Amino acid sequence: MEASVSGEQTGAARWLSVHDDLLRGLTHALSNRVGTLSAVAYMVEMQPATVGASVATLRAEAERLEAVLQLMRLLPRKADATAEPVIPTDTTTQAVALQSYHPNLGDVAVVVTLDGDLQPAYADPAVLVMAVTLILGAAQRAVRGAGRVDVTISSSTEVVRIRACGVGVDGTPGHADADSARDVDAVNWLLAPFDGSGAPDAAGAVVSIPTLQAARRARHG
């Protein structure tokens, strides 16, 4: 019991640390977007003839601003989060987009591969995005910023697995650092209410979550 409580505390603390890093990156992106909008507004005010050319810039910036806001809405963790069918590729796409704003790791490329036909997962979508973001960070740190992350999504009738593995520039797997164990603790803390879990990997980590089919069988006992 004590070990379980310790793991939960470590996991919660780890997620808060990663959460703060992501929030810092997103607020920096928001600041850039607002700065651009202010600059365009000033240009229009000083040179009214540029209104036509500025409309396209304003529209593009508004779309970028909306994209950042959508990602920011994923960060608050809801105490009453409930499970629903989730398409694992959609979740992974959102996690990759969110992680791209990490101030220290966002430049490490991510390549996503599907391994066979995929079953829908069953979890809270935002929580699963958080969990995948954590393993992306573990894999990115495994290559020390020089390489890429290979994400493989696979499933059986029981479990959807999302594996993130850091690959160096020479094609060899990276090496997970000490914080990766804390990332796994955080994944376990986040996914425990949905019967999901995390596991360490030599160059990253793995998220496992029940399929919709398995969750339905469990509910009907």
Side-chain angles (χ1 to χ4, degrees):
M1 178 64 72
E2 290 182 2
S4 176
V5 171
S6 176
E8 289 178 3
Q9 291 174 340
T10 301
R14 178 59 178 170
W15 169 245
L16 286 175
S17 174
V18 173
H19 172 280
D20 288 351
D21 286 339
L22 293 171
L23 187 59
R24 183 155 49 93
L26 288 167
T27 53
H28 178 72
L30 282 176
S31 177
N32 287 342
R33 301 281 71 81
V34 171
T36 301
L37 290 172
S38 297
V40 173
Y42 177 79
M43 184 179 299
V44 171
E45 183 179 8
M46 293 296 100
Q47 302 178 28
T50 65
V51 169
S54 299
V55 168
T57 301
L58 288 171
R59 185 178 295 114
E61 285 301 312
E63 290 175 355
R64 293 189 184 101
L65 189 60
E66 176 62 24
V68 174
L69 287 173
Q70 291 287 354
L71 293 173
M72 290 189 77
R73 292 188 182 107
L74 295 171
L75 287 178
R77 181 174 173 270
K78 298 179 291 183
D80 59 348
T82 56
E84 62 183 75
V86 179
I87 304 301
T89 49
D90 291 348
T91 297
T92 303
T93 297
Q94 288 180 303
V96 171
L98 181 58
Q99 184 65 11
S100 71
Y101 288 96
H102 192 288
N104 303 321
L105 303 171
D107 291 338
V108 180
V110 179
V111 179
V112 179
T113 302
L114 310 184
D115 184 3
D117 296 331
L118 300 180
Q119 297 279 334
Y122 192 67
D124 177 79
V127 171
L128 189 53
V129 169
M130 296 174 192
V132 176
T133 301
L134 283 158
I135 68 169
L136 290 175
Q140 287 172 326
R141 293 195 314 274
V143 293
R144 310 297 191 271
R148 70 177 191 276
V149 170
D150 286 343
V151 175
T152 305
I153 311 173
S154 62
S155 69
S156 64
T157 57
E158 302 296 320
V159 177
V160 174
R161 290 186 178 86
I162 303 172
R163 177 177 183 257
C165 176
V167 180
V169 291
D170 59 354
T172 59
H175 300 282
D177 64 7
D179 282 336
S180 295
R182 298 172 62 216
D183 290 327
V184 171
D185 284 339
V187 170
N188 287 327
W189 175 70
L190 288 166
L191 295 183
F194 312 103
D195 297 323
S197 62
D201 187 83
V206 182
V207 162
S208 298
I209 197 77
T211 63
L212 174 60
Q213 181 180 349
R216 283 174 172 168
R217 279 200 303 272
R219 282 206 310 272
H220 294 101

